[in-house]
Amino acid sequence: MSPADLSPRSPASSRPISARDLALRTLADLREGRRTARGAIDELLEPAGLPPPEIALATELVMGVVRHRLTLAKVLGAYAVHGWQRVNRQIQHILMLGAYQLIWLDGIPPFAAVHEAVNQARAVGGERAARFVNALLRQLLRDVEHPRLAESQSDPRRAIPVGDGQCCQLHRPVFTDPAVNPVAWLAEISSHPTWLVGRWLHHFGRPAAETICRYGMSRPVTFLRPNHLRTDAVSLAARLK
């Protein structure tokens, strides 16, 4: 089956909005370049009326896909028989959301991630799109050799870094061999443009460039800043305890 003809439709009106639906809408909005990820999330969240856990999940999904977009495209492209670029853009977003949950999020059951992705694909592209998404994500799931493995013990061609020195290792190689092309490999695993990684390697050397790339794909630290017109850091910390 070729994904080229998977034309998108508007989601069925009877389908209630969920965190994953909101994440999909946000990614589509970002594709048009109208605003930042944070701005798009905030604008779409306000009228959605989702409970806090769903808001948190929607935010995690959007920011996770944005953070690892190039890596996700590289991995999923290894499973798209007719080529990743031929997959409809909206189906690409659905696959990225599903794969991000399967690879990075330990708290979401794999069957739930696949099931929701298939429902989304059915809503925008019909049964053909649903079958395509189901087949691809289930193949990816079957190919997971070690959901969590120390990167130091992994094959870098098959290992998807997930943070804290851990990776998700697949049975098949999906990345460039770092011994052959370290620039391409580092760009693929860290979701940075090849030209930028090449510049960092040239100016700073491989250890420093790899540190920069890994920091760039890491989950940012959350900061709280007190409003000094109402409180101070010590008082706020005491209240939050």
Side-chain angles (χ1 to χ4, degrees), residues 16-216:
I17 186 70
S18 69
R20 293 176 177 85
D21 293 329
L22 187 62
L24 182 59
R25 294 183 188 182
T26 304
L27 291 174
D29 195 63
L30 287 175
R31 183 66 194 177
E32 300 301 321
R34 289 192 284 266
R35 55 177 68 86
T36 64
R38 183 72 261 174
I41 292 171
D42 290 342
E43 182 166 322
L44 291 171
L45 274 176
E46 186 174 353
L50 294 176
E54 289 288 286
I55 292 174
L57 177 57
T59 303
E60 170 66 29
L61 293 177
V62 172
M63 301 309 291
V65 169
V66 169
R67 193 180 303 124
H68 300 288
R69 182 186 291 272
L70 298 181
T71 302
L72 284 164
K74 181 66 177 179
V75 171
L76 290 166
Y79 297 88
V81 176
H82 298 282
W84 180 246
Q85 295 305 318
R86 294 191 64 194
V87 179
N88 172 270
R89 191 71 66 182
Q90 203 164 3
I91 301 300
Q92 284 186 356
H93 289 153
I94 291 171
L95 287 168
M96 285 182 172
L97 287 168
Y100 177 71
Q101 295 170 75
L102 294 177
I103 296 168
W104 275 271
L105 300 187
D106 296 327
I108 296 180
F111 74 86
V114 174
H115 177 74
E116 290 300 320
V118 170
N119 283 342
Q120 285 185 319
R122 181 177 293 111
V124 303
E127 287 301 323
R128 193 168 182 224
R131 289 195 300 270
F132 174 71
V133 167
N134 182 64
L136 195 151
L137 289 181
R138 289 190 182 280
Q139 182 61 54
L140 171 62
L141 192 56
R142 285 193 295 269
D143 263 5
V144 173
E145 183 178 55
H146 298 291
R148 292 294 178 266
L149 180 70
E151 280 195 75
S152 59
Q153 302 173 7
S154 69
D155 177 350
R157 300 169 304 164
R158 300 185 285 132
I160 308 169
V162 295
D164 297 325
Q166 298 288 305
C167 69
C168 173
Q169 180 159 289
L170 306 176
H171 283 288
R172 73 175 70 183
V174 292
F175 299 126
T176 300
D177 188 340
V180 176
N181 190 336
V183 174
W185 171 77
L186 191 51
E188 291 164 4
I189 68 160
S190 69
S191 203
H192 285 82
T194 304
W195 66 267
L196 186 57
V197 174
R199 179 180 295 179
W200 286 337
L201 278 167
H202 174 73
H203 286 289
F204 306 122
R206 181 165 176 172
E210 187 166 337
T211 298
I212 294 170
C213 287
R214 290 183 179 276
Y215 186 82

